[in-house]
Amino acid sequence: MHSPFCRRRCSYCDFAIAILRSSSDVDRFLDGISLELEHFGDSLRPRTLYVGGGTPSRLAPADLREFFARLDRTIDRRSVLEFTVEANPEDVTPDRAVVLREAGVTRVSLGVQSLDPETLRQLGRRHTPEQVRHAVTLLRDAGIRSINVDLIFAVPGQTPSILDADLTKFIELPTHHVSAYNLTYEDRTPLRSLELLGRLTRQEPDSELVAFRLVHERLAEAGFAAYEISNYAKPGHQSLHNLTYWNNEEYLGVGPSAVSCVGHVRWRNEPDLDVWFSTLRQGLRPVADAESLAPDRFIGESFALALRTSRGVLLSRLERRARMPIDRERLDRIVRLMELRLLEREGPRIRLTPRGRELADCVAAELI
Amino acid sequence: MTSARIRNFCIIAHIDHGKSTLADRFLEITGTVRKEALEAQTLDSMELEKERGITIKAKAVMMKYKADDGQVYTLNLIDTPGHVDFSYEVSKALQACEGALLLVDAAQGIEAQTVANYHLAERAKLRIIPVINKIDLPTARPELIEEEFENILMLERERVLRASAKTGIGVKDILETVVRDVPPPTGDPNAAMRALVFDSVFDDYRGVIVHVRVFDGSFGRGDKIRMKGVGSTHEVLEVGTFVPGSMIPRERLRVGETGYMIANIKTLSDVRIGDTVCLEKEASTVVALPGYKAPQHMVFCGIYPTQNKDFDQLRRALEKLSLNDASFSYTPESSDALGFGFRCGFLGLLHMEIVQERLERESNVDIVQTAPNVTYEVVTTSGDVMRIESPAQLPDASQIEEFREPVTKLDIIAPAEFVGGLLGLAIERRGRFLHQEYISETRVMLSFEMPLAEIIFDFYDKLKSLTRGYGTMDYEVIGFRPAHLVRLRILVSGSEVDALSTIVHRDVAEQRGRKMLVKLREEIPRHMFEVALQAAIGGKIIARESIRAMSKNVTAKCYGGDITRKRKLLEKQKEGKKRMKMVGNVEIPQKAFLSVLGITRDAEK
């Protein structure tokens, strides 16, 4: 579920967001979610729920409660194993913590990004390290089972020692999961504009590699295992929801710009809140674009996704799901990538080696 | 008309010294062409020739001139190519003449090519009339030029004429001197017919038009003739003489005359310059005119379409071009790196450039030209002599007894202040100094023996920049000499890249190899692994470079909303790889081959 509202846009963000201006925006969002869910009938039985955005935590406690209530009208919650909500640290108040707990949220993902004030400023984030610690305490006290913190590294000016100190602070937080992202410079973001204007210099690939390795090493030492290229978890705290993406399995997305994938068809909702809502009001599906994945494309894409995970690809399972054998050319390439020690065999599975993880996109381009 | 009142002559001049303007003046004075009807430079008909200011193909023009002695003379002006690449064609054009005007610019002085062509004319035993042109120029220094004539060509000062083709000053004197000094053609009107082929052009409607000079006897329409050298037989459809822009048919061409012959000949390759035309019935008894040679290709390069699909179009363009230029050859070849293309042979470097420009202009195909190489000779251990036109033809090193390369005599004329720099350049290029001669107080002629391979590799550009544009050069291939030559191999990740191997002198192999590796390093993108680049002679590595492995290439975030976009990016990346050439595990972009093999041409040449 995509809740689009943000207070402001962060410097690196290119998501479909809406700046929250009036309560009528929220009403339309809530009404739209109800309309969209009605399309799927009243018996959805998902394994996982994920409310992301945008910033779901920008909703007032009452609106948040109303949002969860509307989900309950069409979703059978008994099947849900994991229920994640994204939140900004500064939004986590005692009120909201209570709402989350009462709604049955099991996992909260906090947009921390850094615990270094200078790095936070660079990224255009408003919160303080103190607010982060406070949020984590509140969530734990509220009984949230699993807490994730997002981390961004390779920020301009961030030396290895600054990053190292930042990592120490992350590890000291009593959390269960870290999503550690190399900073990216997406088109049409404030960050990219600053780069184009020459006001900041992105880190060299070599320094980014040093940072990537440092993150991996420090988190591993602290008991966070890398189960995906950018995701680290303590045992039992992997995100089941996100694993469905990497395993190229089925999911339904609701809300503006949300993406769904069912039966090898993928579609994306209208990103604009008003367009999304008015389409739903007309009784139509708010689909902006859709594509059907032919078996060969499905196979290529599945390699690109599943190789991101530490479990890698089970060839026999992939063949069964694609309903076709993996072609000779791809098998030859796999052998070649194994010779280059970028891929390795782990039982019946194929997965990236540590060096392969650093070049995951090159490997994926070979097999796509 | 008897041959006593015929004068066959030509003009020898450096580019831009005024040959075409003088020819125009002759046409005007003799009333052959009215002034207003004159194209700017009548004799240079090809657009390209006009632009480059040089004449590629010889032409002949007949003029009637009433001399001061009251007699009317037939003057045949035979145009000659100005560049030494065409020295064989020049020598055949000279052979058709009894006299030559040696035309020198009053401001520029004698240039290297003028000297070379003068020696050709002397060897052909022509009567030489020295003329200083452009004496109307404020910068004219005719006394200095006369000194150069004396010093370098041993021509007496008193015989040197002064003229301005532009204003017409002295031009009539030149014609009078031609009539008076150039001997009339000799030859026996009753002997068996012999005519020299000194040029040929292809006409879309009439086939090959053969330029001939009759040395004995006469012939005309209906005669069955034989080409002595080629051995083909044809029936003559028409003979005649040239005036600018048209051909005038005649009954017969007689002893001493120059003109044309049309005999239903379909391709230029059936006609060899220097061949002897005789009557079929006398063919077995007639002795051929001296000096016939098949064209010698000394410089080769590969010409490839940049797009493989254009191969057929390129082949058609080359076919068409060869109709007009029998001295260039092309044979299909394929290269691992560049796909399908042609190996083309040329008389020399300028010839190669002319062909390439005409191709680009006339064919609409984007082409890639590889760096040129010369023809080598290899004597094998079994005693056979092989001609090597491409590194791929080289036998194994163990079978090579001797490796020979073409060597030239190179003459350079330049202001004296540049002698030091020129000697340095020549030594760097394996030149052997022969002698130096002051042609005037300020200008020097330097002579070297230098391998042709060193000249075709940007030597002319270096000479020009070293002498601030004042230096001129000329060369003549004087034979093959043994040299310490090796095949330089380029290896990428341990696999040899055939398309990049070259033949070089052992002394420069390391330097050349390193240069190539540096270029490759710049053009091959970083891979998932380190890529080793090596230059080797046989199994011995003489230079190495490496391309570091890519440090990191991984998308940070990949969730539901990112998947389609990411897949499209990866698919694009994969598409890009398809256009690269795989050598072992390494993907080499076409651009890398071009930067190593391609040559950049200098527009002002």
Side-chain angles (χ1 to χ4, degrees):
Chain A
M1 268 147 293
H2 183 90
S3 170
F5 304 111
C6 286
R7 185 196 291 173
R8 54 196 289 274
R9 185 179 284 278
C10 300
S11 65
Y12 50 84
C13 170
D14 72 335
F15 290 163
I17 61 158
I19 305 302
L20 184 51
R21 288 199 186 84
S22 67
S23 59
S24 72
D25 283 348
V26 176
D27 292 342
R28 278 183 299 158
F29 171 65
L30 294 174
D31 290 347
I33 291 288
S34 297
L35 285 169
E36 193 171 9
L37 285 170
E38 280 166 18
H39 279 292
F40 304 113
D42 55 5
S43 58
L44 287 173
R45 301 194 50 178
R47 280 174 66 245
T48 62
L49 281 176
Y50 196 104
V51 183
T55 319
S57 60
R58 283 314 293 161
L59 293 173
D63 292 333
L64 200 56
R65 181 171 284 129
E66 177 61 22
F67 174 72
F68 291 137
R70 297 199 182 200
L71 299 188
D72 280 346
R73 284 186 209 157
T74 41
I75 296 172
D76 183 348
R77 294 276 292 279
R78 285 170 301 182
S79 61
V80 174
L81 298 173
E82 178 190 283
F83 183 3
T84 306
V85 175
E86 289 181 350
N88 271 349
E90 66 268 35
D91 295 335
V92 179
T93 57
D95 290 1
R96 285 199 182 94
V98 169
V99 173
L100 294 174
R101 183 190 59 206
E102 287 177 1
V105 170
T106 63
R107 187 171 180 272
V108 171
S109 176
L110 287 173
V112 176
Q113 321 310 356
S114 173
L115 294 165
D116 172 56
E118 176 52 31
T119 309
L120 284 170
R121 196 194 57 76
Q122 276 262 356
L123 295 172
R125 300 293 292 198
R126 278 283 166 89
H127 60 262
T128 62
E130 201 37 59
Q131 283 174 312
V132 173
R133 291 185 191 100
H134 185 61
V136 172
T137 308
L138 275 176
L139 293 169
R140 285 186 71 98
D141 290 351
I144 302 298
R145 183 186 166 267
S146 201
I147 298 171
N148 168 62
V149 283
D150 283 352
L151 178 159
I152 294 181
F153 63 88
V155 176
Q158 186 187 49
T159 61
S161 65
I162 293 174
L163 174 61
D164 195 49
D166 212 1
L167 284 163
T168 303
K169 292 178 198 156
F170 267 85
I171 290 163
E172 281 165 9
L173 287 175
T175 65
H176 314 90
H177 190 287
V178 178
S179 296
Y181 304 119
N182 193 122
L183 180 61
T184 54
Y185 298 72
E186 306 297 338
D187 288 343
R188 291 180 292 279
T189 60
L191 194 70
R192 179 80 178 120
S193 306
L194 287 174
E195 188 193 17
L196 290 172
L197 288 170
R199 305 254 300 275
L200 60 82
T201 314
R202 71 166 82 190
Q203 294 205 6
E204 291 296 317
D206 288 358
S207 323
E208 291 195 348
L209 180 61
V210 168
F212 184 79
R213 287 179 177 169
L214 181 62
V215 167
H216 190 89
E217 196 179 299
R218 292 292 319 271
L219 290 176
E221 277 167 16
F224 291 95
Y227 70 102
E228 194 258 0
I229 282 169
S230 304
N231 285 278
Y232 300 80
K234 294 214 167 134
H237 288 275
Q238 294 183 2
S239 167
L240 297 178
H241 183 83
N242 287 337
L243 280 166
T244 60
Y245 297 134
W246 302 319
N247 291 327
N248 219 0
E249 286 166 347
E250 297 187 327
Y251 44 91
L252 264 188
V254 295
S257 86
V259 174
S260 307
C261 187
V262 178
H264 296 200
V265 177
R266 186 179 297 128
W267 69 90
R268 180 188 189 82
N269 279 357
E270 284 293 348
D272 182 84
L273 175 66
D274 295 334
V275 177
W276 169 78
F277 182 65
S278 63
T279 311
L280 282 165
R281 278 282 297 274
Q282 291 165 42
L284 302 171
R285 301 271 298 276
V287 176
D289 45 68
E291 62 174 347
S292 171
L293 296 169
D296 184 68
R297 180 166 272 181
F298 177 78
I299 287 177
E301 195 181 275
S302 297
F303 270 112
L305 290 167
L307 283 175
R308 294 181 65 88
T309 66
S310 58
R311 279 166 66 78
V313 180
L314 183 60
L315 297 183
S316 57
R317 182 171 139 77
L318 180 53
E319 287 180 329
R320 206 162 55 240
R321 293 187 59 210
R323 296 201 199 89
M324 71 175 276
I326 291 166
D327 53 297
R328 189 75 243 164
E329 195 191 330
R330 275 203 183 87
L331 292 174
D332 288 345
R333 284 167 188 265
I334 288 171
V335 170
R336 197 165 75 80
L337 289 162
M338 285 170 56
E339 285 165 3
L340 291 171
R341 296 178 198 278
L342 296 169
L343 287 181
E344 64 188 5
R345 198 191 294 275
E346 168 71 14
R349 295 176 165 271
I350 304 288
R351 65 176 191 188
L352 292 172
T353 61
R355 176 67 181 139
R357 272 205 301 278
E358 295 165 1
L359 298 173
D361 285 4
C362 295
V363 174
E366 292 283 303
L367 300 175
I368 197 87
Chain B
M1 184 189 64
T2 71
S3 58
R5 285 204 292 279
I6 296 176
R7 299 290 181 272
N8 294 308
F9 72 106
C10 61
I11 307 173
I12 294 171
H14 191 73
I15 299 162
D16 287 337
H17 282 205
K19 177 165 79 171
S20 298
T21 314
L22 183 61
D24 288 350
R25 248 347 54 80
F26 287 163
L27 295 173
E28 206 185 300
I29 287 176
T30 57
T32 312
V33 176
R34 275 177 301 129
K35 187 171 185 177
E36 55 272 27
L38 269 179
E39 267 189 84
Q41 294 184 339
T42 308
L43 291 186
D44 289 353
S45 66
M46 277 168 68
E47 184 195 353
L48 186 66
E49 291 178 23
K50 250 183 208 173
E51 255 171 52
R52 299 181 68 111
I54 50 172
T55 309
I56 300 162
K57 297 298 287 183
K59 313 264 178 326
V61 175
M62 190 186 81
M63 301 173 283
K64 294 284 186 191
Y65 174 63
K66 187 164 186 226
D68 288 348
D69 64 8
Q71 302 280 350
V72 175
Y73 290 85
T74 299
L75 306 182
N76 290 311
L77 172 57
I78 292 162
D79 201 14
T80 58
H83 191 272
V84 70
D85 278 356
F86 307 103
S87 66
Y88 176 69
E89 297 188 2
V90 175
S91 74
K92 290 297 117 181
L94 295 178
Q95 199 180 332
C97 303
E98 280 79 32
L101 299 177
L102 185 60
L103 194 67
V104 172
D105 185 305
Q108 306 291 324
I110 293 176
E111 309 287 9
Q113 280 163 23
T114 322
V115 178
N117 284 337
Y118 166 79
H119 289 306
L120 284 176
E122 218 186 12
R123 241 177 276 164
K125 300 195 171 64
L126 302 195
R127 176 70 182 182
I128 289 162
I129 302 169
V131 179
I132 298 175
N133 190 24
K134 305 194 190 179
I135 54 160
D136 58 310
L137 288 181
T139 49
R141 307 160 297 151
E143 293 77 21
L144 214 62
I145 311 300
E146 281 173 2
E147 193 185 319
E148 292 189 355
F149 270 121
E150 256 182 1
N151 288 348
I152 199 85
L153 306 178
M154 319 319 167
L155 287 167
E156 304 119 41
R157 208 175 257 262
E158 295 67 40
R159 289 186 46 213
V160 179
L161 303 179
R162 292 184 186 187
S164 163
K166 198 170 135 210
T167 63
I169 300 167
V171 175
K172 194 162 185 308
D173 281 350
I174 300 174
L175 289 179
E176 285 299 321
T177 311
V178 167
V179 167
R180 190 186 66 231
D181 288 359
V182 174
T186 53
D188 183 349
N190 303 313
M193 195 280 285
R194 291 197 300 172
L196 172 76
V197 176
F198 66 89
D199 200 357
S200 60
V201 293
F202 184 79
D203 181 280
D204 284 341
Y205 302 102
R206 316 194 70 178
V208 178
I209 298 169
V210 185
H211 292 44
V212 291
R213 153 76 196 265
V214 183
F215 276 85
D216 288 310
S218 68
F219 76 114
R221 193 156 65 108
D223 282 340
K224 269 219 160 59
I225 53 106
R226 161 90 60 102
M227 298 288 191
K228 268 295 261 191
V230 177
S232 59
T233 304
H234 307 275
E235 183 177 329
V236 177
L237 300 179
E238 182 180 315
V239 295
T241 50
F242 292 99
V243 294
S246 64
M247 302 187 296
I248 315 256
R250 298 253 307 268
E251 270 306 305
R252 297 185 80 71
L253 283 178
R254 292 169 207 285
V255 64
E257 291 188 317
T258 58
Y260 69 87
M261 165 182 96
I262 295 169
N264 202 18
I265 304 172
K266 296 289 192 300
T267 70
L268 278 186
S269 51
D270 290 339
V271 179
R272 295 272 169 78
I273 290 174
D275 208 345
T276 303
V277 182
C278 61
L279 295 175
E280 166 76 1
K281 58 185 184 221
E282 299 163 348
S284 54
T285 52
V286 163
V287 177
L289 293 160
Y292 169 73
K293 279 196 296 191
Q296 294 273 312
H297 297 129
M298 295 312 299
V299 176
F300 285 82
C301 79
I303 292 183
Y304 289 80
T306 46
Q307 312 250 317
N308 259 327
K309 65 177 173 56
D310 289 339
F311 177 82
D312 277 329
Q313 212 183 329
L314 176 60
R315 185 172 43 76
R316 282 195 295 274
L318 289 170
E319 257 168 29
K320 192 169 161 234
L321 213 56
S322 71
L323 284 179
N324 280 306
D325 183 353
S327 51
F328 121 86
S329 71
Y330 64 101
T331 47
E333 72 168 2
S334 71
S335 147
D336 283 350
L338 304 171
F340 290 96
F342 296 91
R343 185 129 206 103
C344 301
F346 308 93
L347 302 172
L349 200 57
L350 183 83
H351 185 212
M352 177 175 82
E353 290 183 1
I354 290 167
V355 168
Q356 194 202 9
E357 272 181 36
R358 288 188 59 184
L359 259 185
E360 280 177 353
R361 195 176 303 222
E362 293 164 24
S363 76
N364 244 344
V365 182
D366 278 337
I367 58 169
V368 174
Q369 184 194 325
T370 66
N373 65 268
V374 301
T375 301
Y376 294 94
E377 272 183 8
V378 159
V379 185
T380 64
T381 42
S382 55
D384 297 330
V385 178
M386 296 172 67
R387 275 178 97 81
I388 305 293
E389 292 167 1
S390 141
Q393 297 168 339
L394 264 187
D396 190 76
S398 64
Q399 289 169 38
I400 299 178
E401 181 70 39
E402 194 171 80
F403 208 155
R404 300 172 185 156
E405 65 178 336
V407 173
T408 66
K409 177 168 175 291
L410 171 70
D411 293 330
I412 296 172
I413 291 182
E417 64 200 276
F418 300 118
V419 165
L422 288 170
L423 287 173
L425 175 64
I427 289 164
E428 196 184 294
R429 297 304 180 98
R430 297 192 283 132
R432 193 167 73 82
F433 177 74
L434 295 177
H435 51 82
Q436 141 178 351
E437 223 174 312
Y438 271 81
I439 63 172
S440 69
E441 257 171 54
T442 55
R443 299 210 309 155
V444 177
M445 181 160 106
L446 298 167
S447 300
F448 301 94
E449 248 181 49
M450 188 178 286
L452 181 61
E454 298 290 339
I455 293 177
I456 65 172
F457 194 74
D458 77 4
F459 185 84
Y460 185 72
D461 292 344
K462 284 269 157 64
L463 170 75
K464 280 291 176 191
S465 69
L466 201 70
T467 60
R468 295 203 211 104
Y470 289 112
T472 60
M473 63 174 242
D474 201 85
Y475 66 87
E476 181 189 7
V477 175
I478 53 175
F480 283 81
R481 301 272 165 81
H484 193 173
L485 299 166
V486 291
R487 173 173 173 173
L488 179 64
R489 307 159 65 222
I490 299 293
L491 296 91
V492 173
S493 258
S495 308
E496 176 161 3
V497 188
D498 280 342
L500 295 181
S501 44
T502 50
I503 295 169
V504 297
H505 192 268
R506 181 65 186 84
D507 291 350
V508 299
E510 273 166 51
Q511 186 200 348
R512 201 63 64 82
R514 189 159 298 119
K515 261 191 191 163
M516 292 173 82
L517 297 188
V518 166
K519 277 189 178 167
L520 276 181
R521 193 187 59 191
E522 282 164 8
E523 298 292 343
I524 298 178
R526 285 167 80 170
H527 277 61
M528 295 183 275
F529 43 88
E530 182 173 297
V531 175
L533 305 174
Q534 294 166 314
I537 297 170
K540 189 179 170 232
I541 306 297
I542 55 163
R544 65 182 84 223
E545 287 281 345
S546 73
I547 301 170
R548 282 180 51 212
M550 197 182 287
S551 52
K552 179 169 170 287
N553 184 8
V554 49
T555 303
K557 273 194 176 185
C558 192
Y559 300 102
D562 309 313
I563 292 171
T564 300
R565 186 170 65 158
K566 176 179 155 87
R567 191 197 62 231
K568 284 181 178 162
L569 283 173
L570 292 171
E571 281 172 350
K572 222 170 143 188
Q573 202 173 325
K574 190 184 177 185
E575 264 321 288
K577 285 163 176 279
K578 275 190 191 159
R579 286 194 294 275
M580 301 205 200
K581 173 77 199 156
M582 285 293 284
V583 173
N585 261 342
V586 181
E587 285 143 359
I588 305 183
Q590 171 99 344
K591 204 163 149 264
F593 287 105
L594 298 192
S595 97
V596 177
L597 295 177
I599 57 166
T600 48
R601 283 181 305 106
D602 191 338
E604 64 179 18
K605 245 194 289 176

